[in-house]
Amino acid sequence: MIADLPPGLILILGALVAPMIPAGLRRFYILALPALALWQLLALPAGVHGQVEMFGQILIFLRVDPLAEAFGIIFLIAAFIAAIYGWHEEEVLQHAAALIYAGAAIGAVFAGDLVTLFIFWELTAIASVFLIWARRTEPAYWSGMRYLVIQIGSGVILLAGIVLHYHATGSIAFGALGLVSPGTMLIFVAFGIKCAFPLLHNWLQDSYPEATVFGAVVLSAFTTKMAVYALARGFAGTEILIWIGAVMTVFPIFYAVIEDDLRRVLAYSLNIQLGFMVVGVGIGTELALNGAVAHAFTHILYKALLFMSIGAVLYRTGTAKASELGGLWKSMPLTAIFCLIGCASISAVPLFSGFVSKSLILSAAGKGGHLIPWLMLLTASAGVLAYSALKIPFFAFFAHDSGKRPAEAPASMLIAMGLAAVLSVGIGVWPAGLHALLPFPVDYHTYTASHVLTQMQLLLFGALGFAVLMRNRLYPQQLPATNLDSDWLYRRVCPLVLRSIRDIVRQVHGNVLRRARIRLQRFIATVYRHHGPQGALARTWPAGSMVLWVAVLLCITLIFSYVE
Amino acid sequence: MSDPRNGEDRQAGAGYWVDRKGRMSFLYRTLWVICAVFAAADFFFAHHPMFKIEGFPVFYGLFGFIVTIGLVLGARELRRIVRRDENYYDR
């Protein structure tokens, strides 16, 4: 039984015990859990284990294959790094939420059937919202509410899809699904919500920047990559994904350029990087799927690294807004260096991790002859400097001096950032290590002279473009503002429509009620007139007149009887 | 920002190489030179183009430069449409 223990369950059950452990020991305990789960994961033999019969269905809690393993490993590495980063965080709630969240994401990745997937799919939503609420601000509370509604909504759509799919096929197996029936289409939409497809994306930019310093790092790793995994499992080679992904890589760029809150910039940038993975899944060849998985792997590391470095800035200065920062490298040099390593990785500079993974996807797009998606990916690859890789370090650590001289980040944060940085550079220098973890055999040479040269050209000229814009003051000034995005629809338009409907209903209801009341009053007045104290029918008559009337009636009866 | 702190800053900042006058222009010109070198290198390496468009001289460099400028200028235009007050949703 122990041999079949799902690694995700180690984190979930371990988290439930965490509050009972003394605070001093707890920190080590929280670090040990992901390490233990990784140990268990690596010991699992390939194949299907942990079957449980429930409701007449066989639920598979452990389907171990290379695709699931790759995601499981990076999720556990991310959980471990986040645990180090959160060393300073005293609040046990956040650690427990993070562990359950990570455990649920890992559980979803190893789920062999759709019902098990659904259980963990919803658990990630419920556990993760506490990382937002833990900020304990009014905006965080409301943002968390919106996040929860959308995330749970995704789960409900998934469940509806599973029911329809089961009804149509009689199977709950989670394998390749394809867009073939209403059931699988609903499942696709459910995955799309968590994967932040265009127009379904805004929960991400809304909620992650509202989370705690520690929470944002944890959030950045799991939900969206779990969705990428689910798409890779269920919808590999679905052509529409190429276009969805390509749009995802381009349109958030504009928002990222003008956004002032650097953690929100990172959220937009996360969205763009997801687009690369979605394109890879959509192309669906072995090279492309390897690329999608590799990019999820490297992306989790460098995105966590970037969230950690900006989180450290927020932790020390109390703000993550570009308009309020600048010149921090003078007092936070190590954080600045780690941030730059993250930026080099995200922009795919040779010898950094992004170069290894992004090139697989671009090559797959090229080999498949997808010219327009390829150009869109190339646009995002060049634009990355303008919207994040140069923008973020420039405004946070360089640019004009804000006069802020915060202390360097705490040692625990530096260790976590250092670990993510070492792994990012390690993958860049030694791609074979990452290649070994990918689901399909890799026959790809990352470092060819032509490839390195063209990528360096793309980036250097992109940097030159950024410099030219800065010198000529053409780069948008960083200003605190709200930029309308698709959330405007449900935060402004929907309430407005609902409010107008409410007003109309209220008015009609009021009118009907008023008229009804007038009629009722009239009716009561009539009844009162006849039956009230002075009403003709309610008067008290003297006995004499009663006798007279009885005599009159008897007379009439007598007359009638004679007439007959 | 108060004057004394600015003065103090300038004194403290004088120690940093990049804070001295003219250093930024120097870095800016250096970037131009590096780009020129990489553009020239384009003609000395064999390429393996996947699309015809890649055969255009210094395709990647020009693409990167134009796209960066285009995206940022596009974003400036977008801001005109989507920008609202910081507390827009709180009202």
Side-chain angles (χ1 to χ4, degrees):
Chain A
M1 188 60 208
I2 290 294
D4 277 357
L5 190 66
L9 218 54
I10 294 177
L11 298 190
I12 296 172
L13 297 178
L16 297 179
V17 182
M20 290 163 235
I21 292 174
L25 261 176
R26 194 192 297 143
R27 291 173 159 167
F28 296 98
Y29 172 74
I30 285 167
L31 269 187
L33 281 176
L36 193 68
L38 188 61
W39 177 273
Q40 169 70 359
L41 192 161
L42 295 175
L44 283 173
V48 171
H49 326 274
Q51 300 189 27
V52 179
E53 200 174 329
M54 218 182 265
F55 314 121
Q57 295 289 338
I58 291 175
L59 303 187
I60 300 164
F61 280 88
L62 265 180
R63 181 221 344 237
V64 186
D65 66 359
L67 181 63
E69 267 182 319
F71 277 89
I73 289 170
I74 187 60
F75 280 175
L76 283 169
I77 293 173
F80 183 71
I81 292 175
I84 300 176
Y85 187 76
W87 190 266
H88 71 281
E89 188 56 71
E90 300 283 341
E91 202 183 358
V92 68
L93 169 82
Q94 283 194 58
H95 285 293
L99 286 169
I100 294 174
Y101 176 35
I106 294 160
V109 157
F110 283 106
D113 65 279
L114 290 164
V115 174
T116 310
L117 177 76
F118 165 76
I119 295 168
F120 288 117
W121 194 262
E122 289 289 44
L123 187 56
T124 57
I126 296 164
S128 58
V129 75
F130 289 97
L131 296 169
I132 302 165
W133 282 339
R135 187 96 178 271
R136 295 200 165 77
T137 59
E138 179 94 13
Y141 171 75
W142 287 112
S143 179
M145 276 295 181
R146 288 190 291 274
Y147 172 85
L148 196 59
V149 167
I150 293 170
Q151 297 295 309
I152 295 289
S154 158
V156 172
I157 294 171
L158 176 63
L159 185 62
I162 294 169
V163 170
L164 286 179
H165 180 66
Y166 176 70
H167 190 69
T169 64
S171 159
I172 55 164
F174 183 28
L177 298 168
L179 286 173
V180 290
S181 68
T184 57
M185 281 176 201
L186 281 179
I187 295 173
F188 184 77
V189 171
F191 291 174
I193 292 173
K194 289 217 184 194
C195 197
F197 279 2
L199 301 181
L200 304 176
H201 66 284
N202 208 243
W203 59 267
L204 200 166
Q205 292 85 356
D206 181 14
S207 61
Y208 287 11
E210 299 296 346
T212 61
V213 165
F214 167 66
V217 174
V218 180
L219 284 165
S220 77
F222 301 110
T223 300
T224 49
K225 264 63 75 182
M226 176 180 79
V228 167
Y229 161 81
L231 285 170
R233 177 73 74 187
F235 298 96
T238 304
E239 202 188 334
I240 192 171
L241 282 175
I242 300 176
W243 293 100
I244 292 174
V247 172
M248 274 166 87
T249 59
V250 176
F251 95 95
I253 295 177
F254 300 103
Y255 280 96
V257 168
I258 56 176
E259 181 56 53
D260 184 40
D261 184 334
L262 292 180
R263 290 205 300 172
R264 190 156 284 131
V265 173
L266 284 174
Y268 277 112
S269 145
L270 200 168
N271 213 171
I272 293 163
Q273 299 303 317
L274 288 173
F276 279 86
M277 298 168 218
V278 172
V279 170
V281 172
I283 295 170
T285 59
E286 288 193 356
L287 178 65
L289 286 173
N290 272 343
V293 177
H295 203 53
F297 203 98
T298 61
H299 162 88
I300 286 176
L301 290 171
Y302 65 65
K303 186 55 70 181
L305 177 52
L306 289 169
F307 266 108
M308 286 192 281
S309 62
I310 297 304
V313 168
L314 176 64
Y315 182 70
R316 283 299 193 211
T317 66
T319 179
K321 291 190 170 167
S323 55
E324 297 168 9
L325 295 170
L328 296 188
W329 71 275
K330 290 169 184 170
S331 63
M332 301 179 81
L334 291 173
T335 307
I337 289 169
F338 290 137
C339 181
L340 285 173
I341 291 174
C343 291
S345 302
I346 192 174
S347 45
V349 174
L351 299 181
F352 292 87
S353 62
F355 184 70
V356 175
S357 54
K358 227 181 247 186
S359 53
L360 288 169
I361 298 173
L362 277 158
S363 296
K367 284 193 178 143
H370 305 284
L371 175 62
I372 293 175
W374 180 79
L375 283 172
M376 289 166 88
L377 294 185
L378 205 60
T379 302
S381 305
V384 64
L385 295 169
Y387 73 75
S388 82
L390 281 178
K391 171 180 173 159
I392 288 172
F394 183 80
F395 285 107
F397 297 105
F398 305 99
H400 76 287
D401 197 326
S402 62
K404 288 188 167 73
R405 292 288 182 273
E408 181 57 274
S412 56
M413 289 188 174
L414 290 175
I415 292 170
M417 285 189 265
L419 194 55
V422 165
L423 287 171
S424 291
V425 176
I427 291 170
V429 175
W430 187 55
L434 176 61
H435 288 170
L437 293 174
L438 299 180
F440 301 103
V442 181
D443 176 28
Y444 186 82
H445 300 286
T446 308
Y447 290 103
T448 64
S450 149
H451 186 195
V452 171
L453 175 71
T454 52
Q455 180 66 11
M456 285 308 291
Q457 261 188 21
L458 190 74
L459 293 175
L460 282 167
F461 276 76
L464 184 67
F466 184 81
V468 167
L469 289 163
M470 282 293 174
R471 292 286 283 191
N472 295 294
R473 297 183 187 285
L474 285 170
Y475 195 90
Q477 204 192 344
Q478 300 299 299
L479 300 167
T482 298
N483 295 312
L484 302 185
D485 198 339
S486 63
D487 60 344
W488 180 70
L489 288 174
Y490 55 80
R491 292 176 75 178
R492 268 296 149 105
V493 177
C494 282
L496 204 70
V497 170
L498 288 178
R499 219 172 293 143
S500 344
I501 291 174
R502 185 197 64 189
D503 289 347
I504 292 169
V505 168
R506 186 181 280 174
Q507 207 164 356
V508 169
H509 180 246
N511 276 345
V512 168
L513 213 63
R514 206 175 57 243
R515 276 165 195 235
R517 198 173 293 139
I518 290 169
R519 295 209 166 187
L520 191 66
Q521 276 166 356
R522 277 188 200 152
F523 174 70
I524 289 171
T526 314
V527 170
Y528 189 82
R529 206 169 329 120
H530 297 299
H531 296 270
Q534 301 305 317
L537 293 174
R539 259 178 247 154
T540 46
W541 300 85
S545 66
M546 290 281 284
V547 173
L548 177 73
W549 279 108
V550 170
V552 170
L553 278 172
L554 284 173
C555 276
I556 294 170
T557 318
L558 200 63
I559 292 163
F560 270 103
S561 55
Y562 272 112
V563 170
E564 269 191 345
Chain B
M1 199 167 285
S2 62
D3 279 339
R5 212 169 75 182
N6 269 345
E8 195 183 282
D9 248 22
R10 216 177 298 127
Q11 280 171 358
Y16 295 106
W17 184 85
V18 289
D19 283 349
R20 286 183 216 152
K21 201 164 169 274
R23 297 301 194 207
M24 277 301 135
S25 302
F26 170 74
L27 288 176
Y28 181 61
R29 282 195 295 272
T30 310
L31 185 58
W32 273 101
V33 173
I34 294 172
C35 284
V37 170
F38 271 84
D42 206 46
F43 299 97
F44 298 98
F45 283 94
H47 290 291
H48 323 286
M50 296 180 290
F51 298 106
K52 222 184 275 174
I53 191 171
E54 285 180 87
F56 195 83
V58 204
F59 167 75
Y60 281 87
L62 294 175
F63 189 87
F65 186 76
I66 293 167
V67 154
T68 302
I69 297 213
L71 287 173
V72 172
L73 295 183
R76 279 169 66 99
E77 295 307 309
L78 178 75
R79 171 179 265 185
R80 285 174 207 267
I81 305 167
V82 300
R83 184 167 171 224
R84 295 291 182 280
D85 183 70
E86 199 178 4
N87 305 317
Y88 175 74
Y89 286 119
D90 300 338
R91 279 181 284 126

